Every structure is written in C-alpha cells, then in structure tokens.
Amino acid sequence: MNSIVGNIGNASQLRSDAGPMMDPFGRAVTYLRVSVTDRCDFRCTYCMAEHMTFLPKKDLLTLEELNRLCSAFITKGVRKIRLTGGEPLVRKNIMFLVRELGKQVQDGALDELTLTTNGSQLARYADELYDCGVRRINVSLDTLDPDKFRTITRWGDFTKVMEGIDAAQKAGLKIKLNAVALKDFNETEIPDLMRFAHRRGMDLTVIETMPMGEIEEDRTDQYLPLSQLRADLERQFTLTDTAYQTGGPARYVEVAETGGRLGFITPMTHNFCESCNRVRLTCTGTLYMCLGQNDAADLRTALRATEDDALLHAAIDEAITRKPKGHDFIIDRTHNRPAVARHMSVTGG
Ligand code: SAM
Ligand code: SF4
C-alpha cells in the first residue's frame, strides 16, 4: 500500500469546478462506495465465515472523519455516494453521516446519496433516511422462503426484512432488490423473487458470486453463471434487452409478463470493468481502486496528518492514477483460493 504523505509536491486540485477525476484509462471517477463498518447482524454464507474476525474498533474512522473524507471526494468531482458495509445500519449513530451527506444532496454538491442494506434495521430507519434526502436504496434478498432465508443468512430474520421493505416503501423510498444467484439454492426461485419484486414496483438485480474472502463453503458449488440463469428464464418469460442504466454494472431486460425490469450483474461471465466509474473506501480509510484487486491507498494517514485537506486531496489524486483496468476473478476447480483475501463486507459490495 502506498502512502502519499511527504509527497504533496504535485499540487492537488482543491477546486470543485476542476471536472471529474480521470483514471489512466480515461474513465471519470464520479462514484464513491463507502463501507462504513465491516460488521453485520447476518452471516450470509457466500459473504462471511460464521466466526469472523472483524477490524479492531480502534482502527475505525469516526463518522466525522468519514464525512470529511466523503466531502473531499465530492470536492474532487464525485456525484454519487453509496453507504454499504457490512451492514451500514448497524453502525452506531450512522444517521449522523447520512444527515451530513444528505445536506450535500440538498445543496446540489451531490446528485445522489444511497445505501445497500440487508433490510434488518429498515423498519427503524426508513422515515429518517427519507428525511435526510435518501430516495433510493438497494435491499439484498436471496429468497422468499423464511427457512431458506435463515439458512443462507445464518442469523437473519425474514419477517424483520419484510417489515423493513414495507416501511421503506411506505416512507417513499424506491427499492431495488439484489439477489445473489446461488446454484442449488435459489436458482429455481428467481421467477418468484422477480414476480414479488415487480408486483411491488421494485426492480430485481441478480448477481454472480465473486471469489472474495475465505468462507466455509466451496465457491465452485455456489457459483451459477447468469448466462445459464438467463437461458432458463427465457423458457418462461419474454426478456427484451434495454438500454436502461443506473450508472452501475447491471445490464437490464424488460420482462413482458410482469412489466418489470430485471438486471444482471455478471462480473464472472462478462467483464464489466470497461465502464467502471467507482472507487471504494473502507471504514479504516483505505481506498480500493478496484473491488477485485489488492492494490490500495491509505487515506487515513493523510486525513489525520493535518486539518488542511491539501494532503488528502493529493493522496486521492495519487490513488486514482493507480486505478487498474479491471479485475481477475476466476471461479473454477483449479482456483481454490479467493481472488482477493478480503471479504466483500470490508470493501462493500
Ligand atoms: N449488508 C448489506 C447487504 O447485504 O446488502 C450491504 C453489504 S453486502 C456485502 C452488499 C452486497 O454484496 C449484497 O447484495 C450481497 O449479497 C453481495 N455479496 C456479498 N458477498 C458476495 C460475493 N462473494 N459475491 C457476490 N456478491 C456478494
Ligand atoms: Fe451481512 Fe450483507 Fe454480507 Fe449478508 S451480504 S453477511 S447482510 S454484509
């Protein structure tokens, strides 16, 4: 990991009108995903081991520090921030950060503040999220069967998540459901999940499992190529490709029978890196320029070195020069080790 401290020579741009940050491959970096905690109240089998070692609490940035970091990215041209984790809504006082960033949406400095959540705490926070300026959220839901839900999340309560979805819709939040496609677990359930989502006015996106972090299961047993899932769905539904985009890697189809939209995120079968516009910040101030690579930049040292943001801006600029072209994920029987050792919960999905 490189540190920029002591290398402030190449002047950083402190003006917000300097245009977006550009990486070496000509991609504008306008989207920041922030993992506000690596902790979670679930233990989804594809995401975490049952007994996880979490980051020491002392290494965590405070919410004030995370706000300062996010603000530096906004100054440098980031227009969209997604809070994720771990489970973002289990971080103590998280609404402080949501409110602070929400002000930047109200001021026009940010186009969108959103979050990805497992839904367990949504019933409690939905109204406040809306009040802070959040308008759209992603909720992860892999099955509609309460017993299977308990199996896949190990610790999750399906009823609470349903109450969370109800509360969020009632509060006016637009929801997109995310489901990880898992072989022999939910592949036959995707039509039901889709009908459920579309009936309630929600898009559904299915995601391929990515080889991140040690888990108890064998990832080759979990991995379901979405090309196969799509072929199965096409036997029952009429899927029409659309140009619809949410600024992310999902490719959408319209489903004639339900009148809703279905997204496919295919990091494994189709490399989605060429249009990547994002970087990922962890709760300890480490910036990953790619979800699927180990290279990272330490922003915490620059953040804490001075109250002035010049060093921090220089550190961000330097990090962006290292954004790689793409990831090297492979899942097959000859690759038994995860492509990256850290779990998805550290970098945020
Ligand atoms: N706890 C929140 C949640 O579950 O929505 C936010 C964090 S979670 C890491 C973000 C997303 O990453 C979830 O939709 C989850 O299903 C997905 N995810 C976790 N591990 C994954 C993996 N190994 N491959 C693909 N997606 C994964
Ligand atoms: Fe927690 Fe989300 Fe990972 Fe499930 S996918 S263990 S809810 S961080």
Side-chain angles (χ1 to χ4, degrees):
M1 185 185 303
N2 289 5
S3 169
I4 191 76
V5 176
N7 181 24
I8 191 176
N10 51 353
S12 71
Q13 301 276 353
L14 288 172
R15 293 177 303 116
S16 58
D17 58 359
M21 298 178 281
M22 300 299 287
D23 81 357
F25 303 95
R27 297 169 298 192
V29 178
T30 54
Y31 182 9
L32 176 69
R33 296 172 75 105
V34 187
S35 176
V36 296
T37 175
D38 64 328
R39 290 165 196 255
C40 187
D41 51 348
F42 291 4
R43 290 288 181 278
C44 300
T45 58
Y46 51 81
C47 178
M48 292 195 183
E50 185 155 16
H51 304 287
M52 290 282 289
T53 308
F54 291 110
L55 295 163
K57 280 214 165 121
K58 66 172 177 40
D59 290 349
L60 251 58
L61 296 184
T62 63
L63 292 172
E64 286 80 2
E65 286 175 320
L66 277 174
N67 185 36
R68 195 179 139 205
L69 261 176
C70 289
S71 300
F73 277 95
I74 294 169
T75 303
K76 296 192 73 57
V78 159
R79 301 295 311 175
K80 174 173 171 179
I81 292 183
R82 177 177 299 277
L83 304 182
T84 176
E87 174 46 40
L89 295 179
V90 301
R91 172 124 191 208
K92 205 165 160 212
N93 289 334
I94 185 62
M95 295 314 287
F96 163 80
L97 182 62
V98 176
R99 197 162 285 282
E100 287 303 306
L101 294 175
K103 288 179 194 161
Q104 305 241 32
V105 177
Q106 275 136 30
D107 293 348
L110 200 58
D111 292 334
E112 186 172 37
L113 171 66
T114 180
L115 82 163
T116 300
T117 173
N118 64 24
S120 68
Q121 312 295 316
L122 263 182
R124 189 165 146 215
Y125 288 121
D127 287 331
E128 201 176 346
L129 285 169
Y130 190 90
D131 189 51
C132 290
V134 176
R135 291 294 175 268
R136 296 193 307 158
I137 59 172
N138 289 357
V139 177
S140 303
L141 183 68
D142 301 322
T143 174
L144 291 171
D145 176 328
D147 293 330
K148 282 171 80 176
F149 186 82
R150 172 69 73 170
T151 305
I152 199 73
T153 62
R154 293 196 184 100
W155 298 1
D157 179 348
F158 180 75
T159 312
K160 266 176 120 182
V161 174
M162 284 300 125
E163 286 166 6
I165 290 175
D166 289 344
Q169 287 201 308
K170 197 153 160 258
L173 294 169
K174 197 163 165 33
I175 299 179
K176 178 166 78 71
L177 289 187
N178 282 341
V180 175
L182 297 160
K183 193 159 71 181
D184 299 331
F185 177 76
N186 63 1
E187 57 186 303
T188 56
E189 240 197 287
I190 302 295
D192 283 346
L193 263 171
M194 189 171 79
R195 285 190 200 95
F196 166 78
H198 292 175
R199 207 168 44 237
R200 299 191 50 159
M202 303 183 279
D203 287 349
L204 171 71
T205 297
V206 280
I207 310 170
E208 283 173 343
T209 51
M210 294 172 237
M212 298 190 64
E214 294 284 358
I215 55 172
E216 276 95 353
E217 329 260 318
D218 181 345
R219 291 200 190 268
T220 43
D221 290 342
Q222 296 184 325
Y223 174 55
L224 172 67
L226 292 191
S227 46
Q228 189 182 318
L229 177 72
R230 181 173 174 155
D232 288 346
L233 288 173
E234 280 179 327
R235 280 191 271 280
Q236 299 176 56
F237 299 96
T238 318
L239 309 182
T240 311
D241 287 314
T242 71
Y244 176 76
Q245 283 281 347
T246 56
R251 299 283 169 268
Y252 284 90
V253 296
E254 265 160 16
V255 184
E257 289 75 6
T258 61
R261 253 188 315 251
L262 176 67
F264 294 92
I265 299 186
T266 55
M268 310 303 300
T269 51
H270 170 263
N271 201 316
F272 58 11
C273 305
E274 61 272 12
S275 56
C276 183
N277 59 353
R278 63 200 56 199
V279 287
R280 296 174 148 91
L281 182 68
T282 74
C283 55
T284 56
T286 301
L287 188 74
Y288 285 95
M289 287 70 81
C290 173
L291 182 65
Q293 300 282 359
N294 288 316
D295 189 33
D298 166 30
L299 298 185
R300 184 174 55 183
T301 309
L303 178 82
R304 290 184 173 167
T306 65
E307 280 179 20
D308 180 275
D309 278 347
L311 208 52
L312 180 58
H313 283 239
I316 294 172
D317 285 341
E318 189 277 334
I320 299 301
T321 67
R322 284 191 275 139
K323 187 165 163 57
K325 196 165 181 206
H327 67 67
D328 304 315
F329 289 145
I330 303 173
I331 297 182
D332 65 29
R333 297 269 169 214
T334 58
H335 292 80
N336 291 328
R337 311 290 306 161
V340 291
R342 63 184 187 279
H343 290 87
M344 185 74 101
S345 47
V346 173
T347 344

